[in-house]
Amino acid sequence: MGVEEHTAEPTRDGVDGVEGATAVAEAELKVETTASGTRYPVAPGYRVNVRTGPGTSYRIVRTMPYGQKIPIYCQKPGETVTGPYGTSNLWDNIANGQFVADAYVYTGRDGYVAPRCD
């Protein structure tokens, strides 16, 4: 079984009922493509740890704020983690020496969406 990789339980402050939560979730789950590249949303209601490598034993560099959208420069296999988007051993490189568990990032599909990291 995978490890959970977030710092707080998901919340829906200010949203009443399932329909309201669904509308908010759909708005938050849009992958953005701009001239500077594609940015993927972190699961709504989660503050995800950014680590120095692809596993929970690596040092935490920072914790992402709610609603963050991130670039994925490359991906590599590592520790298996369970999150809102399933269980996966993929980790997303979002900056030099910074990784987040792909199970907490909405990419729109399973598997690789970026080149494999060297």
Side-chain angles (χ1 to χ4, degrees):
M1 179 155 319
V3 175
E4 290 191 10
E5 178 60 7
H6 65 91
T7 59
E9 290 301 313
T11 61
R12 285 275 172 231
D13 295 338
V15 176
D16 294 325
V18 174
E19 290 179 17
T22 302
V24 170
E26 287 174 3
E28 292 173 340
L29 292 180
K30 293 194 181 204
V31 175
E32 295 176 358
T33 302
T34 64
S36 61
T38 303
R39 298 180 73 80
Y40 299 90
V42 172
Y46 288 89
R47 295 188 54 179
V48 178
N49 293 325
V50 178
R51 296 182 176 273
T52 58
T56 59
S57 63
Y58 288 88
R59 183 174 58 83
I60 296 173
V61 176
R62 61 189 166 105
T63 301
M64 300 231 253
Y66 295 114
Q68 187 76 26
K69 292 194 178 184
I70 58 170
I72 299 175
Y73 298 111
C74 63
Q75 294 174 292
K76 81 186 307 182
E79 179 181 351
T80 298
V81 171
T82 297
Y85 302 120
T87 299
S88 175
N89 72 335
L90 281 183
W91 286 72
D92 305 331
N93 175 258
I94 63 169
N96 189 22
Q98 296 184 18
F99 292 85
V100 296
D102 191 65
Y104 284 88
V105 180
Y106 179 77
T107 61
R109 61 183 166 157
D110 291 338
Y112 288 88
V113 297
R116 293 177 191 231
C117 301
D118 291 332

